[in-house]
Amino acid sequence: MAVVTPPAIVILGPGALATARRVQARYAGAQIHALQGRVAGDIAFGELGAHLRECYTRGMPIVALCAAGIVIRCLAPLLANKGAEPPVLALAEDGSAVVPLLGGLTGVNVMAREIGAALTVAPAITTSGELRFGTCLLNPPAGYALASLAQGKRFVSDLLAGATTRVDGQAPWLENVDLPLDASARHAIRVSAQAWNGSPDDLVIHPRSIVAAVGAPQEALAESVRHALDARGLAPLALAALVAPTAYTCDASLAQAATALGVPLRFVDSGENTAQATLAALDLAANVERYAPNENGVALACAATPLDPLALGRARGKLTVLGLGPGRADLLAPAARAALDSATDIVGYATYVEMAGPFRADQQRHATDNREELQRARHAFELASEGRRVAVVSSGDPGVFAMAAAVLEALEGSDDARWHAVELAIVPGVSAALATAAQVGAPLGHDFCMLSLSDNLKPWAVIEKRLLHAAQADLVMAFYNPISRARPWQLARALDIVRSVRAPHTRVVLGRDVGRPGETLRATTLGELRTADVDMRTMVIVGSSATRGFARADGSEWIYTPRWYREDA
Ligand code: SAH
């Protein structure tokens, strides 16, 4: 079933810690997010508003131990965009009041009751249906879908106005609920895969209990599945998964059909590649009703209770290699953020995995200090070929001296068909040279090159040759990996080569920890640059003969390389 994300418990000072710990004890995997410099928790954040908004947009439930008004003000800018809304609660520091604020349809009142019970206070529930019946009828548990929210609201109003109801079908979550039950009532809560017949007196809830199986990709598949369901009076919302033979794992039209139907796409080894064989290959219980393929080759199976899609064959694995940018959250591409949020597994060098967090308890981290990139890439493919969604993280851009090339090299070198069937995507990031350049102006405004000064993976002689040619070509140069403890002398040698061609007044920019806490930027010249000014967290940009600078209002300098170029400039 769907994994319930543990909440982010957000605190602003030591006075909230004891209460926060009690809430944490209630939710496995929950972490305490604490304001940096004020109190220590599991995760530190710098600014409350930005942090709450980040958790919210990631769909994390939030329990904020501060005034309700503060939480409302922080999240207000996000509320206009109707999207999935995680539960958000305000909790008094001393645990004396718990106020559900947002997420009525995602279980905020359930959480308010749970926290209220843990702290022995009455939750401040204001939803009338909830108050009367002790549950939100419009928020069925995972594995069930409400047929119509509008109809549901009308049904709840009727009950609040005094109507009684029956329960038709299996609704285990309603067993201990205080409903006005009456076996002969006109109103009914109907739990069924059958489509709602339009009766205004029914609250229809569909168990996601149907599998649609095909033998091969086909045109307009989503339409055909809807048609097959319709022909049997079944509701599309009762669909749990679309299943196809493993042979078609990479077929784009199958993926589109599943997206259109709003269900996961799963694969099984189906010997004959027919709908019937696909269905038969699933390990369904004997009492699941099976319907033979219709004229469009769609076979259906319908269970009485929800089916767990994760137990039906396996998913097509996904591997996304993404760049975190220099480190600041707002310089991370939304596509990279989305890949991190949807990942089941995060693979990378420990520092970067930490930088990419916080992660939910259901997300597995594979952080290593291992510098062996190919080995890490192979591990990522192994995970992805089991059907997992893997994010491989690099700093900056993944294609610039980072994991993307290693991932492709691992794939090219493999003849494992499962690896080649993985859905592979590379999401760019803001590389250190670009982040550094933007801080000081536009030193990369004309032709430039990026060079790694590390001779770990290439001979030093090649580096010397490239440096000389780049210097002679009057390219601006961005040096990655300029120096390290294991490579102490190389930078001085590199600078000697550049100095043999370029003038001492050539502009040089040093950016250290750009976009991270403790960022420093320095403008100097080739003549003045000392290797002691540089470490492995530094980006060195050496200007061309045209790179220039002028004073900024704040006393520092803008540095740029003009768009034009003249040989005699
Ligand atoms: N893929 C990364 C580069 C990895 S190589 C990118 O595109 O940025 C590592 C080198 O990048 C470091 O030695 C340093 O020279 C540079 N670097 C990475 N992050 C940096 C940062 N935040 N500030 C300055 N330099 C950085």
Side-chain angles (χ1 to χ4, degrees), residues 230-483:
D230 198 46
R232 310 223 174 250
L234 298 167
L237 276 174
L239 200 61
L242 176 64
V243 187
T246 312
Y248 300 108
T249 301
C250 299
D251 184 85
S253 71
L254 283 173
Q256 279 159 13
T259 306
L261 291 164
V263 294
L265 175 61
R266 312 283 300 180
F267 297 96
V268 284
D269 296 323
S270 155
E272 293 166 35
N273 294 351
T274 63
Q276 243 153 342
T278 303
L279 208 51
L282 287 171
D283 197 15
L284 294 171
N287 62 355
V288 172
E289 188 151 4
R290 287 147 173 96
Y291 301 101
N294 67 356
E295 68 283 4
N296 291 320
V298 177
L300 298 175
C302 185
T305 52
L307 288 170
D308 179 1
L310 298 183
L312 303 167
R314 76 181 101 79
R316 179 182 185 190
K318 186 161 183 174
L319 199 165
T320 306
V321 193
L322 60 90
L324 297 171
R328 249 167 55 188
D330 59 351
L331 289 181
L332 176 71
R337 181 75 268 157
L340 286 171
D341 291 347
S342 67
T344 56
D345 296 80
I346 296 93
V347 174
Y349 189 56
T351 319
Y352 303 139
V353 171
E354 193 179 321
M355 201 156 116
F359 292 105
R360 301 183 304 268
D362 61 292
Q363 295 181 292
Q364 189 127 26
R365 276 158 281 185
H366 307 265
T368 54
D369 284 326
N370 178 356
R371 295 222 163 241
E372 187 38 77
E373 294 184 339
L374 268 178
Q375 203 172 308
R376 197 181 292 145
R378 292 192 192 107
H379 181 210
F381 272 112
E382 275 308 319
L383 290 167
S385 42
E386 285 162 21
R388 306 184 66 82
R389 286 186 305 280
V390 183
V392 175
V393 297
S394 285
S395 78
D397 181 87
V400 177
F401 310 122
M403 282 304 293
V407 162
L408 290 172
E409 192 178 341
L411 182 60
E412 191 190 13
S414 164
D415 51 14
D416 189 332
R418 298 173 317 137
W419 287 25
H420 289 272
V422 164
E423 183 183 351
L424 176 61
I426 293 153
V427 177
V430 177
S431 192
L434 307 183
T436 304
Q439 291 288 346
V440 297
L444 309 178
H446 202 84
D447 298 346
F448 68 94
C449 62
M450 291 173 167
L451 297 160
S452 168
L453 297 193
S454 167
D455 57 352
N456 288 344
L457 300 167
K458 62 185 166 185
W460 178 252
V462 169
I463 300 177
E464 286 201 354
K465 189 163 135 191
R466 289 184 179 172
L467 279 167
L468 184 63
H469 286 313
Q472 284 169 341
D474 203 16
L475 292 170
V476 174
M477 290 180 265
F479 294 158
Y480 287 75
N481 302 311
I483 197 165

Side-chain angles (χ1 to χ4, degrees), residues 144 165-175 179 181 188-194 203-207 303-306:
Y144 295 86
T165 183
R166 295 172 281 139
V167 178
D168 286 353
Q170 296 180 43
W173 73 97
L174 293 179
E175 266 156 28
L179 287 170
L181 290 176
I189 297 172
R190 203 180 293 287
V191 183
S192 160
Q194 291 289 320
L203 175 75
V204 177
I205 293 170
H206 301 302
T305 52

